[in-house]
Amino acid sequence: MAAEVQEQPASLSKVDSAIDDAPASPSESKPKHRRSSSTVSGVFSIVDLEKENVDLKIAPETQKLNWKINTATSTIDDKEALAKLLCHPLIKKIDLHFPLGLEVTARNNKGVTVKDACDAIYKQFKKKADDELEAPYLAGFEWDREECYTKFIVHQKKTGDASSGGGSSKKKKGKGGDEA
């Protein structure tokens, strides 16, 4: 008679809606990540790279942009440089640290580009007037492994490089009285 009891549940043809393949409690189930498609292979978290002690290389094109940080990135002449990746290996996000303490974050799940970094900077400075900025031009980025692995330092300069040449010669320093 005990053998008949074990066979009986297998012969049931009705499906009970209360019973499914899911585990009884939520703790037994593994959470399903909705955004698995947003992860791209070859793009890393800066924190993971720090743990593995990987060297970062910043794109040298950032030093030649001649971009005023309170103007839109569409005003940058070198469109090809904007499409370049900000650093290698590719990273999902990076904090950009300004010397006076301000920080902005550039993000892109497919790898942060030069444009992503410039857009993040522009978002912070777009409402600033030219005379409010002491050094309004982007000079480039620096990565200092010892100071802070997870941040790039933003360097700025007072004047942009004039493509016609002689743009900075308009401003003369010292009016003769300083030489004594």
Side-chain angles (χ1 to χ4, degrees), residues 40 43 85-86 90-92 107-113 116:
V40 178
V43 182
L85 295 164
L86 183 62
L90 308 181
I91 53 175
K92 294 179 184 180
R107 293 179 176 85
N108 187 336
N109 282 336
K110 296 177 184 171
V112 176
T113 64
D116 296 325

Side-chain angles (χ1 to χ4, degrees), residues 120-141:
I121 293 169
Y122 171 64
K123 187 175 180 181
Q124 188 66 39
F125 289 101
K126 66 183 175 184
K127 293 182 180 173
K128 298 272 186 190
D130 290 349
D131 59 349
E132 292 181 70
L133 299 171
E134 191 174 311
Y137 290 91
L138 179 70
F141 302 101

Side-chain angles (χ1 to χ4, degrees), residues 46 86 91-96 104-106 112 150-152:
I46 190 85
L86 183 62
I91 53 175
K92 294 179 184 180
K93 74 173 193 168
I94 187 69
D95 291 329
L96 305 173
V104 296
T105 304
V112 176
T150 60
K151 297 177 185 173
F152 287 172

Side-chain angles (χ1 to χ4, degrees), residues 23-30:
S25 69
S27 63
E28 292 176 22
S29 68
K30 291 184 179 178

